[in-house]
Every structure is written in structure tokens, then in C-alpha cells.
Amino acid sequence: MWIDNERYRLHNDRNNDTTTVNSLTPEQQRYKAMTDATLSIKKTALMESGKPITNDNAKDLESREKQTLDNTEFKAASLAVVQKLLQLSTPRLDSRIVSALLLEGMMDVFMSHINRLEETDNNNAIDLHSLSLETKVRLAKHHRDLNNMEALKLSAHATELLCGTSANHHQLMNERFDIIVSRLMETLLPNSIGHLCHFGRVFQQLTRRHMSAMLDYIILDNDASMLFDYMLPYLNQGPVSDALLSLLFFHDTDKEAQEKRIKCYKKLRELGFLEWFMDVIQRSDFPDFSNDTKEFLLRIIEEASQLDDTNELFKSLESDKGPEIIKSLVTSISDQGATRGRQLMVQILRGFVISGTPPVRQSAMSQPVQGPLYSLCHHIRVLLSEHIPTLCKIIIRDYDYAPKKIFSFTIMHVELLEVIYHSLSDAPDKEKVLDALPGGFWKLFADLFFEKSSSSIFLTVYYKIFVLLVNINYEQAISCFLEKQNFIARIIDLYENKTQNTDARGHILLILNHLRLTSDSKKNGIVYQILKSNSQYQHFLPTLRTDTQAQTDASYKWKLDTCPRPAPHLGPVPPLRPSVMFSAYNSATLPLFGAIIDNHMDEVNGIDLGSDFAYCLGFDDTDDQLSEMVNSSTFQSRRTSLHSESGDDSYYSSDNDSRPSSPNNLIDDPHFPCDLVFESLTPEEPDEPVMDAKKKKKKKKKSSLTNGDVI
């Protein structure tokens, strides 16, 4: 009964709120708001305790609260109100509590339970901007009290109230944003013992609700002092680093916020954002923080590769500072030993090299070829091409001086090989780079194929470098690798040795077939001369053709009518083609194997030039097409993409070629299985009755299509 009367009274109070407030003095308004908030908290606490609210205890509650308010100062009352609110098991924000928290000074008291500042001796504000980086990093490691469970409970409840999604929560955050964000950043002061997880959650809530204002406060105002002086020294703390990433790389459709984000990128570039990271990751006086900074820079590169206009952050690499920055990275990798820090440096270098190309989904025909960092990525590859000999020396040195050859070649060295591959692909003068390689590199490169034959990751990168070397067609380098290292005879012996357990036989077939097709396409080339004079290869050639043919010929029929036949295994990463989209496994090459009608098989069978097998390995009927495969930046650019204005003209086409030359005309091709592009997991309903369909199915001829064997 009392609850119904109270609801009626509250309804009348809301209707008469404007009249009542206007008739009170400011001091009376403040006391009224405090009284209403305290009353609301008391009632919530009474309900949580399970006691029924009657007319007697409600009146007693109101009278005691009024007596308390009459005999205390406002500051003490505000402390008591916030304390009682946060001590509730499930604190809630109603209109009365919001009115009290909007009073002057109330949010300062509220936020003090999150930042938990301790009193300093001199009571002066700490100026972090005047401190050195070493001092700020040392102060960021100060001890935070995590044993006071009562204080942590109050902080957690305050965090929950700020991160709510109701209208009252939004009103509080909108009207007191400046106080909330300024007091929240005090959590990163040296005299704060606040919980960083609570800081991170409130920070990300503010980022979601007030993106433009947060960008102004953290980056655009005061030369990004909040970013450099407060947040960056805490990169080793997950909540702070996550909060910073959410601010720098937010996905928002609001045009104003996007323009503000780009403006912040330009501001950070002017303030030396990238230079700050380059300086920290190469310092050895605080290795732990340096490694944490490297990991954070890797996350920045990954996030930037997925968001437009992020190249503004790294414009310094495309300026006059770029060569010096790349040189310092390579020198730092070369000077360090086999440490965690050097491995992270290699990953950063690899991240810059490969970040320009987005991940490829074979079902996405309209997926862009270029990523936001594509031009930057290509520029870094060109700069790195001058340092390829140094990177090769690092691999040789680690291999030669490793004790007992244990851990002589790790995943870090595979990543270095990948950097070498991409840098050599975009090198302006590839032959000059090959001439500058150290003498022992080709011997080590040949030996590694046999020592690491069980690593599919390594063999994938190895095959890519081998194909690039052959396509460059530099006689001196090819002769040094194939003839002086006796590479062809050694891989044939490994393939024929059935007693040896190895995972490299599939790659051996790929390598030998690439040499065979290169020899057939260029009768006067160095590869043709080497193979012609190699008696062991000539003796192995029938076996090579037989085993390769076994991968593409029919061996069993395909019985799944609702699922297209998958493509056979053509290698880990087949060469990218300029006549199709970015991926070699896409809608233009997948139809080449499987789900093709019988009368079309005769035109595409075989493993020689002109066949689908050669087509997928990068060989067309013409010799000019092979020369276009050398520069990877050419066939990864938008000139060979559906997104370019001249994309249709850049595709290779032939009237007599049975293969689709462009994804634009795939649907019109009568031999193209459209379900490879628009594949549905639910089979279509048959046009005829089911019984008739089953009868007709028995009369169908046996299909000769197969799924190729995987070696």
C-alpha cells in the first residue's frame, strides 16, 4: 500500500518539479537534490535487505535523513551519499540520484573512487610533461593496492554506473563529460592506486559515446600530452593499450568523426608518433618496456592495415626520414643476438612489408586488391631491397654460430626469408641485388631445403623464393643455385628415396614442374640448357610426368551433387597471375579443375603449356605473360583489379583459350559453374517430381571427374 502511495507522490513530484525548483534558492535546491538522492538510496538498501517498506519505517527513514542533512556540511553529505550509493549490491541511477550527481563537486567525489589518488607530500600537481621517458616508465610501474577489497568494490560499482546504457546514464555522462574524463586520466598519475581495468572500461565507453570529444582531449589538445605523457608509458598494461587502440582505430560511419580521426593522424605524424616508437624499440636500458612497445607497434600495424586513411600515421617512412628509419631497423636486428627483442623487430619489419595486401577470401569477387597501406608497403619494400644482403648475412651468421646447430633456423629466420622475398620482388634492380648477396647464401639456401623438409611453413616461403628466382631469369644466380649446388639431382634423390620420411615431395614436384615448363616456354634460356645437360633429370622426367598427371587425372567419381568438386592441390602458394584477381585460388582459377562438363575436359587436360595445370602455375600460351610475373607490385596493383577503370583491358584473353580470362565474363561462360561463386548451403528444389528425378539419376552416365590426389 505504501509503495502505491509513493509512486503516486513521485508522479506528482515530477509534474511539479519545475515549479518547485524555481521557487527555491540555489542552496535549497542543492539540499533538496541531496535529500531526494539519499532517500532513494536508503529505499534501495531497504529493498535489498528484504525488509518490507511500510508507512512507519518510511516516515522514520525520511525524518532521520532530514535531520542528518540539517546538521552536516554539504561536502560531508556528498561523501556520504556517494559512499552509500556505491555500497549497494546493485546500485542504480534514477532521476533523483542523477540530479544529486549533477551538483557541483559531486562527480569529483564520485570519480575519486575510481582514480583513488593518494595525498602527496607537497600537495602540488605532478607535471609528467617535464619528466624524462625513463622516469615516466619507472613511475608507471608503481605499486597499486589490489588487496583492499572494499575500495575495489566501490570502484567497480562506480565503473558499472558510468558504463550503463539507460537514459539516466547517458545524461550523466553527457553533462559531466569534462569532469569524468579529466578525473579518469588521473588514474595514470604516479600517486594513483586505481585499478587499470576499471580505467580501460570507462575510457572505451567514453570513446564509444563521445569519439570526437575524446580525440580532442587526448590528441588534438596540448600537443597530445595525454597520449605521450600519460598513456604511452603504460603500454605494458593491457587495459591501457586496448583503450588506446580503440581510440586510434575506431570503425565509425559518422563523417565528422572520420574527419577528426584523419586530423589526429596528421597531428600525430607532426608530433613524431612513429619516431617515438622507433626510438623506444631500439633502446636497451629498459628491455621489458621496449619489447612491450614492439608488441604494441605490431598491433598498430595490424589495425592500420584494416582501416582507411591510416597511412597518414606512417607518412614519415615515405619522407626523407624513411631510408634512415629502415636502415636503423635492419642494423638493430643485425646487432642483436638471438633474443625476444630481435624476433619482435623482425615481425615489425615483416608487418610493414606484407600489411599492404589484405587477406584473400576465394569467394569474394569484389574484394579490393589493395589495402590502406599498399603504397607505403611498396615503398618500404623498395627501401629494404638495398638491405637484402645484410638480412642474408644474419641468416648465415646465426646458422654458422649456433651451438650444435640447435635452433639454428627458427620461425624468425623464415620471416626474414619472407621479407627478403617481398623486398626482392619490388627491387628496382633485381640483378644488382642478386649480385650483392653473400657467397655462402645459395649454398645455405639449398641445404635448408633438405634440413627443414618437414616444415610446411618454410617450404611455402622457399617455393615462392625459388619461383621468383627463376622468373627473374638472371643466368648467374640460377646457375649458382641449380648447378653449383647440384640442387636438381639432390631433390630427385630425395624424392626417389622411399625410406626417408619427408613432407617435401609435393614441393619437389612443384619445383621440377616449374623448371620443366620454364624450359618449354624459353628454349634458349639458361633453365633449358641446364635441364638438357642434366642426365639425372632426363631420366627422372617420365616419373615426373606420370606423378604430376596422377594429380589431375580422374581416379574416382564425385558423388556429392549439391557440392562442387574442390580444386586439386597445386602448391601452397601458386604464383599470382596478372590476368586474374589477386589470389591464384579465386573464381577464375577454381573452375579449371572439377565441376567441368565432359566435352570440355579434352581441351584442358594435360600438364604441358596451354593446359590448366600450367595456367595455374603461371604459364600461358605466350611468352610475354611470363615476363609480367616478375614484379609482384605490378600484379598486385589495381591495374589488374576489378576496381580499376581499365581493369577489363588489363586481363589477358584469347578467343581460343577455354579458360575464363576475366572474372567479368565468368557468369556468361557456359562452361563456368556458377555455384562456385554464388554457392548456397541449401540445394535448390528440383523442377520435376522427386520420383522422376531419382529415375533419371539412374540413367546418368558415370562421371569421369575426380578430385586430384594430394601429395
Side-chain angles (χ1 to χ4, degrees):
M1 184 64 182
W2 180 87
I3 296 179
D4 294 335
N5 295 335
E6 181 65 15
R7 289 174 179 171
Y8 179 76
R9 188 182 69 83
L10 289 175
H11 177 72
N12 292 333
D13 288 346
R14 293 191 187 99
N15 294 334
N16 300 325
D17 183 65
T18 305
T19 305
T20 304
V21 171
N22 293 335
S23 62
L24 297 178
T25 63
E27 184 178 3
Q28 291 174 336
Q29 293 178 15
R30 184 178 63 183
Y31 281 161
K32 181 180 183 302
M34 295 290 291
T35 304
D36 291 342
T38 306
L39 181 62
S40 179
I41 295 172
K42 289 289 186 178
K43 291 176 181 177
T44 303
L46 195 59
M47 294 176 64
E48 288 182 354
S49 64
K51 298 179 181 179
I53 301 179
T54 63
N55 291 329
D56 295 335
N57 57 24
K59 292 179 180 179
D60 180 65
L61 184 148
E62 293 183 15
S63 61
R64 284 185 297 169
E65 197 58 45
K66 291 178 180 179
Q67 183 179 3
T68 304
L69 284 175
D70 291 339
N71 298 329
T72 56
E73 297 291 336
F74 171 73
K75 183 177 181 180
S78 62
L79 291 173
V81 168
V82 174
Q83 186 87 3
K84 293 176 182 178
L85 173 65
L86 298 180
Q87 284 179 344
L88 297 175
S89 300
T90 55
R92 294 183 295 271
L93 284 182
D94 56 24
S95 58
R96 292 182 171 186
I97 295 178
V98 171
S99 300
L101 292 177
L102 292 178
L103 295 175
E104 183 179 358
M106 284 293 292
M107 281 308 299
D108 296 285
V109 177
F110 184 88
M111 292 300 299
S112 65
H113 291 279
I114 295 181
N115 56 40
R116 298 175 62 191
L117 295 178
E118 294 181 330
E119 295 183 0
T120 56
D121 297 336
N122 50 14
N123 292 327
N124 294 327
I126 301 176
D127 184 14
L128 293 177
H129 184 69
S130 60
L131 302 178
S132 63
L133 178 61
E134 296 84 350
T135 304
K136 286 184 282 191
V137 172
R138 177 177 55 81
L139 292 176
K141 297 180 180 179
H142 73 276
H143 175 71
R144 294 179 179 269
D145 183 17
L146 302 180
N147 297 323
N148 189 343
M149 302 309 298
E150 182 63 24
L152 291 178
K153 174 186 174 182
L154 300 181
S155 177
H157 286 174
T159 302
E160 291 292 335
L161 291 177
L162 290 177
C163 296
T165 57
S166 68
N168 290 327
H169 293 88
H170 293 168
Q171 179 188 0
L172 179 63
M173 185 166 288
N174 292 340
E175 297 189 22
R176 289 294 181 263
F177 169 81
D178 294 336
I179 297 177
I180 293 175
V181 68
S182 60
R183 295 295 178 262
L184 179 67
M185 295 303 296
E186 292 178 353
T187 311
L188 303 180
L189 289 175
N191 61 325
S192 170
I193 58 174
H195 203 299
L196 292 179
C197 289
H198 301 162
F199 164 85
R201 187 174 178 189
V202 177
F203 189 96
Q204 295 194 44
Q205 177 71 4
L206 291 170
T207 302
R208 287 189 292 267
R209 293 285 305 168
H210 304 276
M211 175 57 67
S212 297
M214 286 294 289
L215 290 174
D216 286 331
Y217 186 83
I218 302 297
I219 298 178
L220 296 180
D221 296 344
N222 301 321
D223 291 335
S225 175
M226 288 295 170
L227 176 69
F228 287 99
D229 299 331
Y230 282 75
M231 300 191 73
L232 289 183
Y234 282 89
L235 288 182
N236 59 334
Q237 299 293 335
V240 180
S241 60
D242 291 343
L244 184 54
L245 286 176
S246 67
L247 179 68
L248 292 176
F249 306 103
F250 62 91
H251 297 265
D252 198 332
T253 57
D254 182 49
K255 186 176 181 180
E256 180 184 355
Q258 292 177 354
E259 293 176 352
K260 183 68 68 67
R261 175 169 58 84
I262 298 174
K263 185 178 179 180
C264 289
Y265 291 162
K266 295 180 180 179
K267 180 71 173 181
L268 290 177
R269 184 192 65 195
E270 296 172 359
L271 295 174
F273 180 74
L274 181 61
E275 289 81 351
W276 186 92
F277 279 91
M278 292 297 109
D279 175 65
V280 173
I281 64 178
Q282 298 181 51
R283 300 185 64 164
S284 57
D285 46 351
F286 35 80
D288 293 338
F289 181 75
S290 179
N291 290 341
D292 294 332
T293 305
K294 295 171 186 175
E295 293 180 352
F296 185 75
L297 181 57
L298 281 172
R299 297 179 64 185
I300 288 181
I301 297 173
E302 181 181 359
E303 293 289 341
S305 65
Q306 304 173 27
L307 195 62
D308 291 337
D309 303 313
T310 50
N311 59 324
E312 290 290 343
L313 272 177
F314 308 103
K315 280 290 185 179
S316 300
L317 290 171
E318 300 185 43
S319 64
D320 297 337
K321 300 178 182 179
E324 187 63 29
I325 293 176
I326 296 299
K327 181 180 178 181
S328 63
L329 281 176
V330 175
T331 304
S332 180
I333 294 173
S334 178
D335 294 342
Q336 293 186 35
T339 61
R340 170 64 176 166
R342 186 176 73 159
Q343 183 179 356
L344 291 172
M345 294 281 281
V346 173
Q347 291 177 3
I348 291 173
L349 207 60
R350 176 179 174 270
F352 279 127
V353 166
I354 69 173
S355 60
T357 305
V360 177
R361 299 182 298 271
Q362 66 184 30
S363 61
M365 291 186 61
S366 62
Q367 182 183 1
V369 175
Q370 293 181 351
L373 302 181
Y374 177 80
S375 60
L376 172 72
C377 177
H378 172 66
H379 184 74
I380 293 176
R381 292 179 182 182
V382 174
L383 295 178
L384 272 173
S385 61
E386 302 178 2
H387 304 283
I388 290 179
T390 304
L391 299 179
C392 294
K393 290 179 182 178
I394 295 174
I395 298 176
I396 297 175
R397 183 191 62 193
D398 292 351
Y399 185 84
D400 291 339
Y401 292 97
K404 299 181 181 181
K405 302 300 179 184
I406 300 177
F407 305 117
S408 59
F409 195 84
T410 62
I411 190 65
M412 183 203 70
H413 299 94
V414 176
E415 293 171 344
L416 274 179
L417 286 178
E418 193 171 359
V419 172
I420 292 172
Y421 163 73
H422 289 290
S423 303
L424 182 60
S425 299
D426 287 1
D429 192 346
K430 299 177 179 58
E431 296 184 0
K432 181 180 179 180
V433 174
L434 292 176
D435 285 335
L437 295 183
F441 177 73
W442 291 121
K443 181 181 184 305
L444 175 60
F445 189 67
D447 294 340
L448 286 174
F449 183 86
F450 306 96
E451 294 184 15
K452 307 299 178 182
S453 60
S454 60
S455 173
S456 59
I457 299 177
F458 166 72
L459 293 176
T460 299
V461 180
Y462 196 98
Y463 175 70
K464 292 162 65 175
I465 296 178
F466 173 82
V467 171
L468 177 62
L469 174 64
V470 175
N471 289 340
I472 292 175
N473 198 27
Y474 184 43
E475 294 187 3
Q476 183 176 347
I478 294 177
S479 177
C480 180
F481 178 65
L482 294 181
E483 290 188 316
K484 292 185 179 180
Q485 309 305 328
N486 198 22
F487 185 72
I488 296 177
R490 293 168 68 185
I491 61 176
I492 292 176
D493 292 338
L494 177 61
Y495 186 87
E496 293 181 330
N497 187 1
K498 304 302 180 182
T499 61
Q500 184 169 352
N501 186 16
T502 178
D503 296 330
R505 290 189 173 88
H507 289 83
I508 292 175
L509 285 182
L510 284 171
I511 291 173
L512 292 177
N513 275 305
H514 196 88
L515 291 174
R516 175 179 62 84
L517 294 172
T518 303
S519 174
D520 293 342
S521 63
K522 296 185 177 182
K523 295 296 184 181
N524 298 325
I526 181 64
V527 175
Y528 174 79
Q529 299 175 8
I530 293 175
L531 295 183
K532 184 178 179 181
S533 61
N534 193 312
S535 58
Q536 188 170 358
Y537 169 81
Q538 297 296 333
H539 179 73
F540 181 74
L541 185 57
T543 304
L544 173 63
R545 297 185 62 88
T546 301
D547 292 354
T548 304
Q549 193 73 36
Q551 290 184 317
T552 58
D553 280 349
S555 60
Y556 60 90
K557 64 181 181 179
W558 186 252
K559 298 181 180 180
L560 299 179
D561 296 333
T562 59
C563 180
R565 180 188 300 277
H569 177 70
L570 297 180
V573 182
L576 305 180
R577 305 184 50 78
S579 58
V580 293
M581 292 182 63
F582 169 72
S583 174
Y585 288 136
N586 55 35
S587 54
T589 54
L590 283 177
L592 304 181
F593 293 87
I596 305 177
I597 58 179
D598 293 338
N599 58 7
H600 183 58
M601 289 297 293
D602 296 336
E603 303 176 10
V604 298
N605 253 340
I607 58 174
D608 297 312
L609 291 176
S611 66
D612 286 341
F613 177 78
Y615 181 82
C616 288
L617 287 184
F619 296 90
D620 288 337
D621 296 332
T622 59
D623 295 337
D624 297 336
Q625 200 70 15
L626 184 63
S627 63
E628 299 180 16
M629 298 293 297
V630 176
N631 196 332
S632 64
S633 63
T634 300
F635 56 76
Q636 289 181 11
S637 69
R638 290 192 184 273
R639 289 175 291 171
T640 59
S641 168
L642 292 177
H643 296 268
S644 65
E645 296 179 358
S646 60
D648 293 339
D649 297 332
S650 63
Y651 289 117
Y652 172 77
S653 61
S654 175
D655 295 337
N656 299 325
D657 193 1
S658 61
R659 296 174 292 274
S661 59
S662 169
N664 283 338
N665 56 19
L666 290 177
I667 308 303
D668 298 331
D669 190 346
H671 303 308
F672 175 68
C674 295
D675 55 351
L676 285 177
V677 180
F678 306 104
E679 181 179 350
S680 174
L681 299 179
T682 304
E684 296 181 358
E685 294 294 334
D687 296 334
E688 300 179 359
V690 178
M691 295 301 297
D692 295 340
K694 291 183 178 179
K695 291 180 181 179
K696 289 187 176 183
K697 186 176 180 180
K698 295 180 181 179
K699 296 180 181 180
K700 287 183 179 180
K701 295 181 179 180
K702 293 184 178 179
S703 174
S704 60
L705 301 179
T706 64
N707 181 28
D709 297 334
V710 178
I711 297 181

